[in-house]
Amino acid sequence: MKEKDCIFCKIANGEIPSKTLYEDEMFRVILDLNPATRGHALILPKAHAADLYGLPEETASKILVLAKELAVSMRDRLHCDGLNLVQNNGEAAGQTVPHFHLHMIPRYVGDGQTLGWAPGEATQEDLEEVRAVMTRQDAL
Ligand code: 5GP
Ligand code: ZN
C-alpha cells in the first residue's frame, strides 16, 4: 500500500505533518506548499498509486465526489471566482511527485495565473485519424 521513500505516502498517512483540510479512510486533502493561488489543495489517496493508470477503480470513482464537495466548500469559504482541477501524469505532463494527486486550484479574478494550453490546429483528417485509432475494435 505504501511505497518506500514516497513523500506523498508519508504525508497521506500522517508520518510527515501537513496542513490537512480533510481526511478519511481513503484520502487526505492537504494544502500545496507552493500554492498557485490561495487555497491550492491536493487530494492524495492514502494507498500508493503512481498515477492515474495505476489508480484502483474504487479510488477513481470516489475522488471526484470528494472533489465536488471540496469545490463547494472552497467556493463558499474562500469566495473564489472559479476553480481548476489539474491532474498530471508522467514527467512529460509536468508530474513531479510520482504519487497520484489531484490539484484543486481556486481561481480569483485577476489572480495572474496562467493554466492551460495553446490551442493547436487539426484538419478533419487529423481528427479522423485519432478517432479511428481510439475506437478501433482490436486496439484494446
Ligand atoms: P505535480 O507537478 O506532481 O502535479 O505536483 C506536485 C505538487 O506537490 C506541486 O504543486 C508542489 O508544490 C507540491 N508539493 C511537493 N512537495 C510537497 C510537500 O512536501 N508538501 C506539500 N504540501 N506539497 C508539496
Ligand atoms: Zn506514494
Side-chain angles (χ1 to χ4, degrees):
M1 297 294 264
K2 271 192 284 175
E3 189 98 337
K4 197 172 166 289
D5 299 332
C6 173
I7 183 146
F8 278 5
C9 275
K10 290 180 178 149
I11 291 174
N13 291 283
E15 287 167 39
I16 294 178
S18 62
K19 293 291 184 199
T20 294
L21 306 185
Y22 173 83
E23 182 185 2
D24 62 22
E25 281 182 6
M26 197 174 271
F27 301 105
R28 183 186 293 269
V29 182
I30 64 169
L31 289 178
D32 197 294
L33 269 187
N34 298 109
T37 62
R38 177 172 177 264
H40 181 171
L42 304 171
I43 303 180
L44 310 180
K46 290 187 174 178
H48 182 85
D51 49 32
L52 185 62
Y53 308 115
L55 199 66
E57 290 191 0
E58 189 190 357
T59 314
S61 70
K62 288 192 170 150
I63 200 163
L64 204 56
V65 176
L66 175 56
K68 186 248 160 90
E69 287 172 6
L70 285 162
V72 171
S73 184
M74 284 174 160
R75 182 194 64 190
D76 293 350
R77 292 168 188 248
L78 301 177
H79 307 294
C80 51
D81 303 305
L83 175 73
N84 290 115
L85 298 191
V86 178
Q87 201 277 304
N88 301 323
N89 296 284
E91 279 182 40
Q95 185 177 14
T96 58
V97 181
H99 175 124
F100 177 96
H101 49 281
L102 179 61
H103 294 261
M104 299 196 60
I105 306 177
R107 298 301 304 274
Y108 306 89
V109 171
D111 64 24
Q113 273 298 340
T114 51
L115 295 172
W117 55 89
E121 288 180 4
T123 63
Q124 284 299 308
E125 289 72 27
D126 294 331
L127 299 178
E128 174 54 23
E129 185 268 333
V130 178
R131 190 203 64 75
V133 168
M134 289 302 295
T135 58
R136 202 166 56 210
Q137 289 308 307
D138 64 354
L140 295 177

